[in-house]
Amino acid sequence: MPIHPDSYEPYDGPRGTERPWWTVARQTLGSMLSWTRTKLTLLAVWVFPALALIGVIVEYSLRSSGTELPVPEGQFVGAFATYQAYAVALVYLASGCGIVSHDIRYRTLPFVLSKPITRWDYLGGKLLGLSLLGALTAVVPTLLVGALRLGMLASIDLAGPIVGATLAALGVAIAAVVVTAALVGAISSLSGRTGLVVLGVIGAFVAPWILSSILQLATEAKAAGNLVSLHGAFSLVIDQWIYGDASGVPAWSPFVALGVLCGGSIAVMHWRLKQAGDIH
Amino acid sequence: MTDAIPTTGGDPKTIQVRKASYWYDDVIGINDLSVDIGPGVTGLLGPNGAGKSTLMKVISGQLSPRTGEVRINKRPLAGNPEVFADIGFVPEFDAFWQGMSGREFVVYLTRLHGLDKSNAAAAAERAIERVGLTDDADRPVSDYSKGMRQRIKVAQALAHEPNCLLLDEPLNGTDPVGRRHIIDLIRELGAAGTTVVVSSHVLHEIEQMTDEVVLIHSGRVLADGHIQEIRDLIDEHPHTIHVDCDRPRELAAELVGFEDVVRVELADDHVRVATRDPAACYDRIPRLTLENDFGFQGMTSPDNDLDAVFQYLVD
């Protein structure tokens, strides 16, 4: 029997300090941004923020020229934050459903998981990549519109009433980006058939919404009914943070609902990745 | 029959599997399997469903064994992701990301080893050159032939210079040129001291790469040792080759004249040849089809003869 010499010399060349989750995140984002449907969806959802930017400039011009307008309150910011939560859902639906599902479908998961990375690196990278797309959808426009509006209103001493609301809108946008990414990531990890994942994500958005409507009709507990749906929970947060409305439920309840949804989704994703060699 | 741990390759042992079991619901993948594998090329041979791919997945960390342990370079694989820096894995199936070029594919996977962009690009370039795909590196992998895809998969496994290379059915669907390239590369890596484990259900493929084999059957190591011992057994059973070509009737007429050919079966688009000298036959068939313009499409071996040997060993 031939005996081979162990002449192996380990690679001792330069190694970067780049974290694998960051590599996965960049690849995930780059891949999504290369798709035409992502570009088109992003353009579509940016139409409203673009109009809002124009509206802010018009508002500033009118106020500067002495036109009598009501003192700014949170309505505009509240409507903007609500829109952003839906925009994130739409962009994720169009482009995010394949983040793990494509790796299952195209059987590329074993390549990644045979590298020196943990399941958490992969999971974190995928969610970060999707969240960066969500940030382009919601956080960046919120920052742009909010900063421009605050800056212009501050120059005519009217920023005071809406500083808190604008920061709250930013918080809502970030929460929508992260929680919705976790939900979409979890559903994406359940199947290699991306069409099924899209249906699953639509179901996860719509079914609780219907349930929430039934609960509201049956019990007249409008706020409590909102707690069972993702966008209902966001509307409760917007009510509290932007409109200062107590909503009739404990202040912590929408945050707990969103936290449980986010944590549960990440747990599902990790559980699926632990079975990676079994996933087909 | 012995209780000693099956051992192949040189020393020190790179891969140590101890009493590893994995089952899929009611189906056993591997069953209380132990094996030590050291530097050099080791063939993992077994019929379809024997447990080869499960063992590969367990060694490459895709699956955690339900019982038992795997060590790579004496370090446990479980909960130890840095061990994967020593492993290069080529999965069995055809897999790639849509829209990625060969170079992007290798660079991305090399960067997961922590290499920065320029070092990963340089490592990927060397690996791509090694598998002979430099001229095609910037084409989308989706445009590659099956053989080129196999080679780019090997490149991603080699780029970080591992000392343990696991190749699951690497010759599946490859054309003769790609097949020769991969075989030469595997032999070269084995001779240089890399521990290379190649799984296949085709004895002849393994025979071209190594003399040392581990036979897997029903999730267990059935035997280990020199391939000649297997060959001696198999010579009692003719080897079957399935040849796809445009003119099977003419190819069949050419083949029946050779002494080692014991049977030729003809169909509309292929010929099945049973031979007692597979090595000669594997060289002869592509040559004959090219010389006579028979429109060679490819050849595979169902290797029913190997099943017969396994049956003999089991009995």
Side-chain angles (χ1 to χ4, degrees):
Chain A
M1 193 164 292
I3 302 299
H4 303 270
D6 183 20
S7 60
Y8 166 70
E9 287 177 18
Y11 175 77
D12 59 357
R15 285 190 193 273
T17 51
E18 197 166 283
R19 306 305 304 163
W21 51 264
W22 179 235
T23 304
V24 174
R26 283 205 319 202
Q27 193 272 339
T28 303
L29 179 66
S31 167
M32 289 187 292
L33 286 177
S34 70
W35 301 334
T36 306
R37 68 170 183 276
T38 309
K39 291 170 189 155
L40 291 175
T41 319
L42 274 178
L43 277 177
V45 299
W46 279 340
V47 168
F48 180 69
L51 292 174
L53 277 173
I54 295 167
V56 168
I57 294 166
V58 170
E59 180 193 8
Y60 171 72
S61 306
L62 291 173
R63 288 186 191 277
S64 303
S65 64
T67 307
E68 281 296 317
L69 291 174
V71 174
E73 291 177 359
Q75 284 85 350
F76 170 78
V77 180
F80 193 82
T82 305
Y83 168 80
Q84 296 297 21
Y86 284 101
V88 167
L90 181 68
V91 169
Y92 284 178
L93 194 59
S95 303
C97 291
I99 57 161
V100 181
S101 170
H102 281 171
D103 279 348
I104 299 171
R105 178 179 172 191
Y106 298 119
R107 297 174 159 188
T108 44
L109 213 47
F111 287 117
V112 178
L113 298 181
S114 62
K115 304 298 174 191
I117 75 171
T118 64
R119 265 48 170 181
W120 286 111
D121 284 326
Y122 174 82
L123 186 157
K126 285 286 169 183
L127 291 184
L128 180 61
L130 186 57
S131 296
L132 289 173
L133 179 66
L136 283 175
T137 308
V139 178
V140 171
T142 305
L143 270 175
L144 284 176
V145 174
L148 183 70
R149 191 159 188 251
L150 281 176
M152 288 187 159
L153 292 179
S155 71
I156 50 176
D157 297 328
L158 282 172
I162 59 156
V163 170
T166 304
L167 289 175
L170 194 59
V172 170
I174 292 169
V177 162
V178 173
V179 177
T180 315
L183 178 65
V184 171
I187 297 171
S188 181
S189 71
L190 295 177
S191 173
R193 296 172 69 181
T194 314
L196 280 182
V197 175
V198 171
L199 287 176
V201 171
I202 292 173
F205 290 150
V206 174
W209 207 357
I210 296 169
L211 180 64
S212 143
S213 304
I214 293 169
L215 274 174
Q216 286 169 3
L217 285 171
T219 64
E220 294 183 357
K222 183 175 184 305
N226 269 337
L227 281 174
V228 300
S229 82
L230 180 63
H231 289 90
F234 281 128
S235 74
L236 290 173
V237 174
I238 290 167
D239 285 348
Q240 277 187 40
W241 279 3
I242 298 176
Y243 298 124
D245 180 359
S247 305
V249 290
W252 47 263
S253 57
F255 300 101
V256 169
L258 292 172
V260 167
L261 180 64
C262 188
S265 298
I266 290 171
V268 166
M269 221 174 148
H270 190 256
W271 165 71
R272 280 292 285 168
L273 291 173
K274 276 178 75 177
Q275 311 170 311
D278 264 347
I279 295 176
H280 298 292
Chain B
M1 206 56 99
T2 169
D3 286 338
I5 291 170
T7 299
T8 65
D11 288 314
K13 299 303 175 198
T14 314
I15 302 168
Q16 295 169 299
V17 183
R18 289 289 176 279
K19 292 185 167 296
S21 298
Y22 191 90
W23 53 89
Y24 308 86
D25 297 326
D26 294 338
V27 179
I28 291 284
I30 54 172
N31 185 7
D32 204 31
L33 188 150
S34 295
V35 65
D36 280 351
I37 302 174
V41 181
T42 294
L44 208 56
L45 201 57
N48 286 323
K52 302 184 300 293
S53 288
T54 304
L55 179 58
M56 281 294 203
K57 284 178 177 178
V58 164
I59 298 174
S60 65
Q62 307 299 303
L63 295 173
S64 299
R66 306 280 173 114
T67 63
E69 186 190 41
V70 177
R71 285 177 174 262
I72 303 290
N73 293 325
K74 303 200 184 318
R75 290 184 295 173
L77 198 58
N80 218 354
E82 58 271 25
V83 174
F84 289 95
D86 293 339
I87 299 175
F89 178 49
V90 178
E92 171 187 8
F93 31 73
D94 201 18
F96 54 92
W97 285 277
Q98 296 290 306
M100 257 193 192
S101 70
R103 188 186 309 280
E104 287 167 340
F105 178 76
V106 181
V107 169
Y108 168 54
L109 290 167
T110 306
R111 290 191 78 176
L112 291 175
H113 285 273
L115 270 71
D116 62 25
K117 195 173 180 180
S118 59
N119 283 314
E125 188 61 46
R126 286 194 296 273
I128 288 169
E129 190 182 348
R130 207 156 182 197
V131 299
L133 282 176
T134 304
D135 292 343
D136 298 292
D138 293 315
R139 283 173 52 199
V141 181
S142 52
D143 289 354
Y144 282 8
S145 67
K146 182 76 189 284
M148 290 164 81
R149 285 183 198 167
Q150 291 287 26
R151 282 193 272 161
I152 205 73
K153 278 159 55 182
V154 174
Q156 65 79 31
L158 284 179
H160 59 289
E161 300 175 27
N163 80 328
C164 174
L165 192 60
L166 310 168
L167 302 106
D168 199 357
E169 307 267 4
L171 301 182
N172 263 2
T174 50
D175 53 87
V177 176
R179 179 177 290 253
R180 175 47 54 196
H181 208 113
I182 292 174
I183 290 169
D184 288 347
L185 184 60
I186 289 170
R187 291 171 65 113
E188 189 185 309
L189 287 163
T194 304
T195 299
V196 186
V197 183
V198 187
S199 83
S200 177
H201 64 285
V202 183
L203 177 67
H204 180 73
E205 285 181 359
I206 295 288
E207 204 169 23
Q208 293 176 70
M209 302 175 209
T210 183
D211 295 332
E212 295 192 67
V213 288
V214 174
L215 301 185
I216 306 279
H217 189 268
S218 298
R220 287 175 177 273
V221 175
L222 187 62
D224 63 289
H226 199 280
I227 206 158
Q228 190 55 47
E229 297 165 33
I230 310 298
R231 173 52 63 199
D232 291 344
L233 288 169
I234 219 160
D235 280 348
E236 295 168 20
H237 307 271
H239 180 89
T240 305
I241 304 171
H242 176 115
V243 187
D244 289 310
C245 68
D246 296 338
R247 294 162 60 194
R249 185 169 297 276
E250 287 88 338
L251 176 61
E254 288 283 340
L255 288 171
V256 287
F258 292 93
E259 269 188 20
D260 59 286
V261 173
V262 294
R263 188 171 64 250
V264 177
E265 293 170 22
L266 187 61
D268 285 346
D269 57 352
H270 69 263
V271 180
R272 281 171 85 96
V273 189
T275 173
R276 290 197 186 281
D277 188 352
C281 216
Y282 274 108
D283 284 343
R284 179 189 307 138
I285 291 170
R287 185 170 43 77
L288 277 177
T289 50
L290 283 173
E291 282 173 5
N292 297 291
D293 197 20
F294 290 156
F296 180 71
Q297 307 284 340
M299 55 185 177
T300 54
S301 171
D303 247 9
N304 295 329
D305 47 332
L306 186 60
D307 286 343
V309 171
F310 274 98
Q311 200 55 50
Y312 168 83
L313 289 169
V314 171
D315 292 344

